[in-house]
């Protein structure tokens, strides 16, 4: 039994004294928001760090998703995954778009490209895919399908900060990618998010949209919203960026340790690292299968009883929630892989300050279930 609860994650915070000078600047300037100096610096620093052309900061990932769909004027039906955080699908409905759920690939937990074409109808305008757990979607296949059918591609990259695919940023794929800097993410600014886009014109439209549609003091270009990131969050982001490499290295050690301890445990399945991917170690999902003596929920409860708060990301499937379950694409027969994975998944604690002794404790508790 752990003295202190072990949560699925714990936000990384830089040493407080390093943040004070940033706060002093904000207190001096009295510029708190509306594209202040830290906001501008952070946008540039993120583009450089991530290796992308343009990026617009947001107050959170959900508003960034909602705005990304607005920016591309997406309508009608959008193909998406049921295996994600509910914000992915809610963003469609906030834009009066009908979600069409398609099953996932068990190797990555991302949209199965082989299942996309049969879900396309004359109303389909886009694909909204999720780089789940930081695993890249089948980006080339998805782009091929999108090109054939004239669809736009938006990636919910909330889990994919810093992930590289074939030696370049994963965020360079698709028409837009959306990041989350929420407290529970690998890179956090307390709350925050961003849209990554390839061209200056789209970036400008997104900048109008996130600022009520204002182009200047008296001109409103679009029915925008308030999605702006504050100077506090932007300043924190600038500082967090300096620590990010160390955050990833610490996470990698935890990931290695879990793989070593659980890799050959009967009834526990782990996703294999993908070739040509430089990972961010955002989550450590395991899948509790029939060879394990406990059902997934029994293991979840057993760990909780011992102060270990693993989480069932992503259970229930989004398609099971009351506002979605009546859609024909939400029927379980349409989503057998996602349905199965949602019933088996348990995300184990992983964060930079997680003591290896605690990882041992988690894996010992799992192994003890074997009796
Ligand atoms: N798309 C995807 C694929 C996403 O995963 C998300 C967010 C979004 C879009 C939307 O992005 P944002 O609008 O959030 O920027 C959490 C997060 O709230 C959510 O951001 C995240 N996905 C989702 C996967 O997980 P909960 O309800 O599980 O969070 P919560 O509060 O239970 O936190 C989990 C654990 O983390 C706690 O047990 C303790 C620890 N924690 C949490 C917070 C908030 C801390 O130690 N400190 C904290 O401040 O949803």
């Amino acid at each position: 039994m752990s003295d202190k609860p072990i949560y699925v994650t714990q936000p990384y915070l830089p040493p407080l004294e390093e943040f004070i000078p940033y706060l002093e600047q904000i207190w001096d300037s009295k510029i708190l928001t509306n594209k202040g100096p830290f906001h501008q610096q952070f946008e540039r620093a993120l583009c450089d760090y991530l290796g992308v052309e343009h990026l617009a900061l947001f107050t959170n990932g959900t508003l960034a998703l909602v705005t990304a769909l607005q920016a591309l004027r997406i309508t009608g039906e959008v193909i998406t995954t049921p295996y994600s955080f509910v914000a992915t699908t809610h963003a469609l409905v906030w834009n009066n778009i009908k979600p069409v759920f398609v099953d996932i690939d068990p190797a990555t937990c991302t949209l199965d490209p082989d299942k996309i074409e049969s879900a396309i109808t004359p109303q389909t305008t886009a694909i909204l895919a999720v780089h789940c757990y930081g695993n890249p979607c089948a980006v080339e296949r998805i782009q091929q399908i999108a090109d054939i059918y004239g669809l736009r591609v938006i990636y919910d990259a909330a889990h994919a900060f810093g992930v590289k695919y074939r030696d370049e940023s994963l965020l360079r794929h698709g028409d837009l990618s959306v990041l989350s800097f929420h407290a529970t993410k690998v890179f956090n600014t307390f709350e925050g998010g961003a849209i990554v886009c390839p061209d200056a014109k789209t970036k400008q439209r997104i900048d109008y949209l996130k600022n009520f549609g204002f182009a200047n003091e008296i001109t409103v270009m679009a029915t925008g919203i308030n999605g702006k990131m504050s100077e506090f969050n932007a300043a924190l982001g600038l500082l967090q960026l300096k620590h990010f490499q160390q955050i990833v290295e610490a996470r990698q050690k935890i990931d290695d340790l879990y793989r070593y301890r659980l890799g050959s445990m009967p009834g526990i399945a782990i996703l294999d690292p993908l070739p040509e991917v430089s990972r961010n170690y955002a989550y450590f999902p395991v899948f509790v299968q029939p060879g394990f003596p406990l059902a997934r929920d029994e293991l979840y409860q057993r760990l909780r009883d011992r102060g270990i708060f693993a989480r069932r990301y992503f259970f229930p499937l989004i398609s099971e929630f009351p506002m979605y379950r009546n859609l024909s694409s939400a029927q379980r027969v349409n989503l057998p892989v996602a349905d199965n994975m949602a019933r088996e998944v348990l995300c184990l604690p992983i964060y930079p300050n997680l003591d290896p002794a605690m990882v041992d404790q988690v894996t010992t508790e799992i192994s003890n279930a074997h009796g």
Side-chain angles (χ1 to χ4, degrees), residues 7-11 59-63 65 84-88 130 156-159 179-185 191-193 283 309 311 313-314:
Y7 295 111
V8 67
T9 190
Q10 184 183 78
T59 188
N60 60 55
T62 303
L63 271 175
L65 274 174
S84 180
F85 190 59
V86 72
T88 310
V130 179
D156 178 339
H159 302 177
L179 291 164
S180 164
F181 308 146
H182 182 261
T184 55
K185 296 292 182 271
E191 289 269 6
Y283 293 85
F309 294 83
R311 292 291 290 266
Y313 298 133
F314 288 100

Side-chain angles (χ1 to χ4, degrees), residues 80 104 191 204 272 279 282 290:
T80 192
I104 59 171
E191 289 269 6
Q204 178 152 82
D272 286 330
R279 296 192 290 148

Side-chain angles (χ1 to χ4, degrees), residues 47-311:
C47 284
D48 289 348
Y49 188 84
L50 296 170
V52 298
E53 259 51 83
H54 300 277
L55 173 150
L57 292 171
F58 273 78
T59 188
N60 60 55
T62 303
L63 271 175
L65 274 174
V66 168
T67 308
L69 293 159
Q70 284 275 322
L72 299 183
R73 299 184 173 86
I74 305 295
T75 57
E77 294 180 6
V78 168
I79 288 172
T80 192
T81 170
Y83 193 87
S84 180
F85 190 59
V86 72
T88 310
T89 311
H90 283 354
L92 294 171
V93 177
W94 273 67
N95 280 289
N96 284 319
I97 294 164
K98 180 177 170 189
V100 175
F101 295 111
V102 162
D103 209 358
I104 59 171
D105 174 349
T108 60
C109 297
T110 67
L111 266 187
D112 183 343
D114 290 338
K115 311 259 172 69
I116 293 177
E117 279 188 90
S118 60
I120 295 174
T121 75
Q123 284 70 47
T124 310
T125 57
I127 299 168
L128 173 58
V130 179
H131 299 306
C132 190
Y133 309 135
N135 291 332
C137 295
V139 287
E140 285 102 357
R141 295 277 314 281
I142 289 176
Q143 195 58 55
Q144 261 173 10
I145 297 168
D147 289 344
I148 292 170
Y149 291 89
L151 308 178
R152 308 307 289 268
V153 180
I154 299 178
Y155 286 109
D156 178 339
H159 302 177
F161 188 95
V163 173
K164 286 194 178 158
Y165 174 59
R166 296 194 166 157
D167 287 331
E168 64 170 23
S169 174
L170 181 59
L171 306 170
R172 297 178 71 88
H173 291 273
D175 292 290
L176 298 176
S177 293
V178 176
L179 291 164
S180 164
F181 308 146
H182 182 261
T184 55
K185 296 292 182 271
V186 277
F187 177 87
N188 87 80
T189 58
F190 284 20
E191 289 269 6
I195 303 179
V196 174
C197 62
D199 62 289
K201 197 168 162 227
T202 310
K203 151 93 169 137
Q204 178 152 82
R205 176 164 162 75
I206 293 168
D207 282 344
Y208 292 157
L209 283 169
K210 78 176 193 190
N211 186 28
F212 313 97
F214 276 112
N216 60 41
E217 242 179 81
I218 54 166
T219 314
V220 174
M221 301 286 283
T223 45
I225 195 148
N226 182 359
K228 292 171 276 111
M229 176 179 273
S230 85
E231 285 293 278
F232 179 93
N233 304 97
L236 180 62
L238 270 173
L239 179 55
Q240 292 280 50
L241 213 42
K242 295 187 182 172
H243 294 263
F244 187 65
Q245 195 48 40
Q246 156 205 335
I247 292 174
V248 173
E249 283 163 17
R251 284 178 169 274
Q252 179 173 11
K253 291 203 175 97
I254 308 286
D255 186 289
D256 288 347
L257 197 49
Y258 273 132
R259 282 177 192 278
Y260 176 68
R261 298 291 303 265
L262 297 174
S264 51
M265 192 174 294
I268 296 289
I270 297 172
L271 300 176
D272 286 330
L274 300 163
E276 302 185 279
V277 176
S278 149
R279 296 192 290 148
N280 65 6
Y281 311 95
Y283 293 85
F284 198 87
V286 298
F287 298 87
V288 184
Q289 299 190 330
F292 196 75
L294 302 178
R296 188 274 312 274
D297 286 347
E298 289 170 333
L299 178 59
Y300 166 82
Q301 191 56 49
R302 181 189 166 98
L303 293 175
R304 273 183 87 94
D305 292 345
R306 289 157 177 77
I308 299 163
F309 294 83
R311 292 291 290 266

